Amino acid sequence: MPAVSRPTSKDVAQEAGVSQSTVSLVLGGKWSGRVSPATARNVRSAAERLGYRPNQAARNLRLGTTRTVLLMVPTLSAPFFGPVYTGAARVAARHGFGVVVSTWPDDAAGPADSPFGSDEAIDGVLASSMAAGALAEFRGTPAVMLDSGPDDRPGDRVPTVDFGVADGMRAIAGHLAELGHRRFGHVAAAVDQWTFHARAEALAAAVAGLPGGALTRARCAIDVTSARDAAARLLTGPARPTALVCDDDLIAAGAYKAARALGLDVPADLSVTGFDDVLLATALEPELTTVRLPAEELGAQGMTALLDLLAGHRPAPRVLPGELVVRDSTAPPRG
Amino acid sequence: MPAVSRPTSKDVAQEAGVSQSTVSLVLGGKWSGRVSPATARNVRSAAERLGYRPNQAARNLRLGTTRTVLLMVPTLSAPFFGPVYTGAARVAARHGFGVVVSTWPDDAAGPADSPFGSDEAIDGVLASSMAAGALAEFRGTPAVMLDSGPDDRPGDRVPTVDFGVADGMRAIAGHLAELGHRRFGHVAAAVDQWTFHARAEALAAAVAGLPGGALTRARCAIDVTSARDAAARLLTGPARPTALVCDDDLIAAGAYKAARALGLDVPADLSVTGFDDVLLATALEPELTTVRLPAEELGAQGMTALLDLLAGHRPAPRVLPGELVVRDSTAPPRG
DNA sequence: CTGTTAGCGCATTCAC
DNA sequence: GTGAATGCGCTAACAG
């Protein structure tokens, strides 16, 4: 037998000299006018004295709910998703929910592809930054999509929470245009996610709307060396851009390297912008002009929407605005 | 009623024309010589046909286990902890365990300090990077300490998994000494965690053992501006160090800034080293000489130890070696 | 106002 | 070799 088995509601009942159901009522907070205040206090103090904690498993079984939601993210290595988790967990905890994380399926390069690992022991899922068009995986499980774009399918849609990336990109283009830039290079993430498609479209539209505006583009993976190579391609091509718009702060770091390798000074010879505003943005030299995306807020709002959904409501799609943060990597073009 | 309630073991029994207990036996894998192979096959196919998934809550209740462990980390904002989680989750999944993350208590600056949020619905805890001496929080809950130093208390110790940070620091000191450096500056993290105490001691010892070796130290928070200020203090003091040893890659980024502000070239005028080898290390210019810490492996080994512990064993303390990665931020001192 | 009863889905004795 | 019965701890009807 275990050293000291935890007290049960039955023990509390005995200690307080009442019945189990009374304990349940009191501790469940539903005793308004059903149990006398004196008894309630009595029960509470007994529970306190014994250090009683309700057994979640029993609770889950009885209630048919697990009070656990699954957060799916592409990876936890990217600095962006820690805050998303934090935000989601914060509001979840406030409602007695836990959050388990899982990375996108194929990440499980392990031996057995989750034997029965991907339990159905969850009440709902928060899916972040999905590949475009990968909706519809969730048969019957309440889900909210994060940073995956609006749900354009007909019928009843999945609730969504997104960033206003298009506005963010327009802000960057506007800032650069105001400084006098006309030839833009887009160092684009070669990742099939809504957010990157949206960024590309918004930038293209903004530049197209600019008299004399020209845009070239190179794609790369989201890592420094790949980004450096892509930026170098843009910089050594014809009609060199005076500003490099990068899909991600890390990509911007690669652009810095390409610029330095070519003897170009940032921002005197070349303006560079990032996206996301992660820690890296201020670690770089010069500090990076970028768009701050409220990652933690994304997690928090997403969880709020999911909790709403679980409560039987139909949360409306939400869009979280990004904020242009001007630092030292942008300046008027030379000449 | 719900749209389609999931099949239970009872449904499977009915479908297979056997009893519930037979289903449990077969699916539980404990039917060696108790159930006929034919029946077993029959049950399996019935389960398959119905898409049966055992109800975790019921299982947990019956077994008195939750197959969930808690990973406690100081923060998820630091890029270091994502991989730790990933490693832990990987081996946990392989054993049918889930992992929930929580950040250190006081992070819950929320309204109510986890009303009943921090459930006891866990089988064990993996505590990473604790403040020194903060052991002993886990009354009765099996725990493994990660990156928190060896457990020096008498009696039965908590199993530990640590990095060989002392060796790592010695490797850095040795590398720098070999290049000809004698005056070292330590930009130290002002964080009360074992790993930083160990780094400081190891560096001090290494420099003390070096003929003509001198060491100055400045403390800072783990953020770029604080690090930059600390590094600047060291650089403007008497007998300027020729090498700055930083407790963290992010701190090294701050050191870069201080150097540039003083017109010092890295590495020609000043060598700089980091610690951890996060993404940032290669994003900087010049790329950072640092010590790679196998973060994912820490999580994996920690989970392995915890699973061992839960199985009734006494896992031995483990130490994961760090690896010196020489890049472009270190060079012989000038003159 | 409070106690008694029943059952969530499963793993496990114990009869047969 | 298999089935019937029991109870894990809890909540929600329903009595009293």
Side-chain angles (χ1 to χ4, degrees):
Chain A
M1 71 178 71
V4 184
S5 61
R6 287 226 320 246
T8 71
S9 70
K10 195 172 163 186
D11 298 325
V12 176
Q14 193 165 359
E15 172 83 10
V18 298
S19 85
Q20 224 183 112
S21 60
T22 304
V23 172
S24 180
L25 246 19
V26 172
L27 266 32
K30 320 189 195 304
W31 56 286
S32 48
R34 302 167 54 112
V35 175
S36 73
T39 310
R41 238 174 304 123
N42 184 11
V43 168
R44 273 189 221 288
S45 87
E48 182 75 21
R49 221 174 310 137
L50 265 39
Y52 170 73
R53 323 279 280 131
N55 178 317
Q56 282 293 336
R59 186 164 225 284
N60 294 344
L61 178 55
R62 185 64 235 269
L63 266 13
T65 192
T66 60
R67 299 192 87 73
T68 296
V69 323
L70 179 68
L71 172 66
M72 302 188 74
V73 297
T75 170
L76 272 177
S77 300
F80 181 77
F81 296 102
V84 175
Y85 173 87
T86 304
R90 177 164 44 79
V91 356
R94 196 174 302 161
H95 295 260
F97 275 71
V99 180
V100 301
V101 189
S102 108
T103 49
W104 282 122
D106 44 24
D107 192 276
D113 186 69
S114 54
F116 66 110
S118 203
D119 297 333
E120 287 300 323
I122 52 169
D123 289 344
V125 10
L126 229 44
S128 182
S129 312
M130 299 190 66
L135 297 261
E137 268 310 296
F138 314 107
R139 320 189 320 158
T141 312
V144 169
M145 243 49 147
L146 265 32
D147 184 34
S148 304
D151 185 354
D152 291 331
R153 301 171 307 168
D156 48 21
R157 289 115 186 253
V158 172
T160 57
V161 183
D162 288 302
F163 292 123
V165 290
D167 280 342
M169 204 41 121
R170 273 191 283 274
I172 283 184
H175 166 64
L176 256 13
E178 201 165 292
L179 288 172
H181 292 274
R182 289 300 176 270
R183 293 198 309 282
F184 298 81
H186 184 194
V187 190
V191 173
D192 182 27
Q193 286 175 11
W194 166 80
T195 192
F196 297 117
H197 296 308
R199 292 173 198 194
E201 279 178 33
L203 180 61
V207 173
L210 195 65
L215 177 67
T216 51
R217 174 175 303 157
R219 304 180 156 282
C220 64
I222 303 185
D223 68 73
V224 179
T225 51
S226 175
R228 185 199 53 202
D229 295 345
R233 263 177 274 141
L234 254 22
L235 257 18
T236 53
R240 169 159 74 216
T242 60
L244 246 28
V245 176
C246 303
D247 262 354
D248 183 280
D249 291 347
L250 193 63
I251 291 178
Y256 276 30
K257 283 183 186 281
R260 293 230 170 96
L262 293 168
L264 263 26
D265 181 77
V266 177
D269 301 314
L270 178 74
S271 286
V272 174
T273 64
F275 220 103
D276 286 5
D277 195 29
V278 293
L279 230 47
L280 178 61
T282 53
L284 292 176
E285 187 90 25
E287 298 194 356
L288 190 64
T289 293
T290 187
V291 170
R292 173 174 303 153
L293 261 23
E296 190 168 333
E297 191 62 16
L298 182 77
Q301 297 259 358
M303 185 57 72
T304 302
L306 183 53
L307 259 19
D308 254 32
L309 187 63
L310 292 176
H313 307 146
R314 290 239 138 255
R318 244 168 282 203
V319 175
L320 275 23
E323 178 199 358
L324 178 67
V325 181
V326 177
R327 297 207 180 90
D328 308 325
S329 66
T330 47
R334 178 159 283 177
Chain B
M1 73 178 68
V4 183
S5 61
R6 287 226 320 247
T8 70
S9 67
K10 195 171 164 186
D11 297 325
V12 176
Q14 193 164 1
E15 173 82 9
V18 298
S19 85
Q20 214 184 121
S21 60
T22 304
V23 172
S24 181
L25 246 22
V26 172
L27 267 33
K30 316 188 198 301
W31 55 286
S32 48
R34 304 167 52 114
V35 175
S36 73
T39 309
R41 238 176 303 123
N42 184 11
V43 169
R44 272 189 222 288
S45 88
E48 181 75 19
R49 220 175 310 137
L50 264 41
Y52 169 73
R53 323 278 282 129
N55 177 314
Q56 281 294 335
R59 197 179 171 59
N60 294 344
L61 178 56
R62 187 59 175 81
L63 265 15
T65 193
T66 60
R67 299 194 86 74
T68 297
V69 323
L70 179 69
L71 172 65
M72 303 189 73
V73 296
T75 171
L76 272 177
S77 301
F80 180 77
F81 296 103
V84 175
Y85 173 87
T86 304
R90 178 164 44 79
V91 357
R94 197 173 302 159
H95 294 259
F97 276 71
V99 181
V100 302
V101 189
S102 108
T103 49
W104 281 121
D106 44 25
D107 193 276
D113 184 71
S114 54
F116 65 110
S118 201
D119 298 333
E120 287 299 324
I122 52 170
D123 289 344
V125 10
L126 229 43
S128 182
S129 312
M130 300 190 65
L135 298 258
E137 269 309 297
F138 313 107
R139 318 189 324 157
T141 311
V144 169
M145 242 54 147
L146 265 32
D147 185 34
S148 304
D151 185 354
D152 291 333
R153 301 172 307 169
D156 46 22
R157 289 112 186 254
V158 173
T160 57
V161 182
D162 288 303
F163 291 124
V165 289
D167 280 343
M169 204 40 121
R170 273 191 283 274
I172 284 184
H175 166 66
L176 256 13
E178 203 165 291
L179 288 171
H181 292 275
R182 289 299 177 272
R183 292 197 311 281
F184 298 83
H186 184 196
V187 191
V191 172
D192 182 28
Q193 285 175 11
W194 167 80
T195 192
F196 297 116
H197 296 309
R199 292 172 199 196
E201 280 179 31
L203 180 61
V207 174
L210 194 65
L215 177 67
T216 52
R217 173 176 303 157
R219 306 182 154 280
C220 63
I222 303 186
D223 69 72
V224 178
T225 50
S226 175
R228 184 200 54 201
D229 294 346
R233 262 177 275 140
L234 253 21
L235 257 19
T236 54
R240 172 160 70 215
T242 59
L244 247 28
V245 176
C246 303
D247 262 354
D248 184 280
D249 291 347
L250 192 64
I251 291 179
Y256 276 31
K257 285 186 184 278
R260 293 228 170 95
L262 293 169
L264 263 25
D265 180 75
V266 176
D269 300 314
L270 178 75
S271 286
V272 174
T273 64
F275 221 102
D276 286 5
D277 195 27
V278 294
L279 231 48
L280 177 61
T282 54
L284 292 176
E285 188 90 25
E287 298 193 355
L288 189 65
T289 293
T290 186
V291 170
R292 173 174 301 151
L293 261 24
E296 190 169 332
E297 190 62 15
L298 182 78
Q301 297 259 359
M303 185 58 73
T304 302
L306 183 54
L307 258 21
D308 253 34
L309 187 64
L310 291 176
H313 306 146
R314 289 238 138 253
R318 245 169 282 205
V319 174
L320 273 25
E323 178 198 0
L324 177 67
V325 181
V326 177
R327 297 206 181 89
D328 308 325
S329 67
T330 47
R334 178 160 283 177

